[in-house]
Amino acid sequence: MNRLAELVLASASPRRLDLLRQIGIVPARVEPAEIDETPLKAELPAHYAKRIAAAKLDAVAPRHPQSFVLAADTVVACGRRILPKAEDQNSVRRCLEILSGRRHHVLGAIAIAAPGGKRSLRLVDTSVIFKRLSEAEIAAYVAGGEGQGKAGGYAVQGHAAVFVRTISGSYSNVVGLSLYDAAAMLTGLGFESLHG
């Protein structure tokens, strides 16, 4: 029995869908979770990422009890600070000014439910160091519009790749989903992919 048809992706992110397709996993459905993603007062980034991924899973999984359901959340953290998903040019600029010349962490939480109710939750931490950015570099990136809608105001798979001095950990986690971890979790829960 081919179980690929049984995967539901509980995410609105086109990057997560593309990443899964890259490893031969094509979800049968994409069903974004409609939840409140406001951080709690004084909530630490790792706790926030896990809480939101679990809440997305809780919102979607009950509607698909016979399917595997994968939910995820990506948080860009600088120290104890959660950087926002940059919705406009000003927030992209603010994020880049904070990240310039500094180390930050991209925290990817993955939550998966299997048919029968078994669940798995994992947090993936990738460390990224940006070079010091000039005003001109920030202005050009902001004007290009690529950072809008992205956690931390940048897309590592795009023009922002030139800002990255060092990356330690999963690259695909920074894009939106650690493929190593997602595949390992799915396999551990009994999901059968095209690659066996």
Side-chain angles (χ1 to χ4, degrees):
M1 178 180 168
N2 183 352
R3 290 181 133 175
L4 278 178
E6 297 178 25
L7 181 69
V8 177
L9 176 61
S11 173
S13 167
R15 291 167 298 285
R16 290 192 185 113
L17 185 59
D18 289 344
L19 284 165
L20 287 170
R21 285 177 174 157
Q22 181 183 320
I23 59 170
I25 297 175
V26 182
R29 285 179 298 285
V30 176
E31 191 173 314
E34 302 297 330
I35 63 164
D36 181 1
E37 298 189 30
T38 307
L40 303 175
K41 187 175 181 182
E43 187 171 25
L44 294 177
H47 182 273
Y48 171 78
K50 290 188 288 186
R51 179 176 67 83
I52 295 299
K56 290 177 180 178
L57 189 65
D58 289 341
V60 176
R63 295 196 288 269
H64 304 282
Q66 302 306 313
S67 301
F68 287 85
V69 180
L70 187 154
D73 192 60
T74 302
V75 174
V76 174
C78 210
R80 298 165 66 93
R81 181 175 187 174
I82 298 170
L83 270 62
K85 183 183 286 187
E87 300 298 352
D88 56 37
Q89 289 192 339
N90 285 336
S91 53
V92 172
R93 178 182 300 279
R94 283 195 301 274
C95 286
L96 292 181
E97 287 170 351
I98 291 166
L99 297 174
S100 176
R102 295 182 65 182
R103 177 192 304 273
H104 63 276
H105 291 267
V106 179
L107 304 171
I110 307 169
I112 302 175
K118 191 172 179 188
R119 292 185 173 212
S120 182
L121 176 66
R122 186 178 294 188
L123 184 72
V124 183
D125 183 348
T126 304
S127 172
V128 181
I129 301 176
F130 268 21
K131 71 174 187 171
R132 191 166 299 283
L133 305 176
S134 69
E135 280 298 320
E137 286 173 316
I138 292 175
Y141 191 76
V142 169
E146 182 182 81
Q148 292 185 43
K150 309 292 193 305
Y154 76 94
V156 73
Q157 71 275 25
H159 295 292
V162 76
F163 301 158
V164 178
R165 274 183 48 209
T166 307
I167 185 167
S168 178
S170 169
Y171 171 81
S172 61
N173 182 49
V174 184
V175 179
L177 182 71
S178 170
L179 292 176
Y180 168 81
D181 292 280
M185 291 167 71
L186 283 166
T187 299
L189 290 169
F191 182 80
E192 296 171 10
S193 76
L194 283 175
H195 306 295

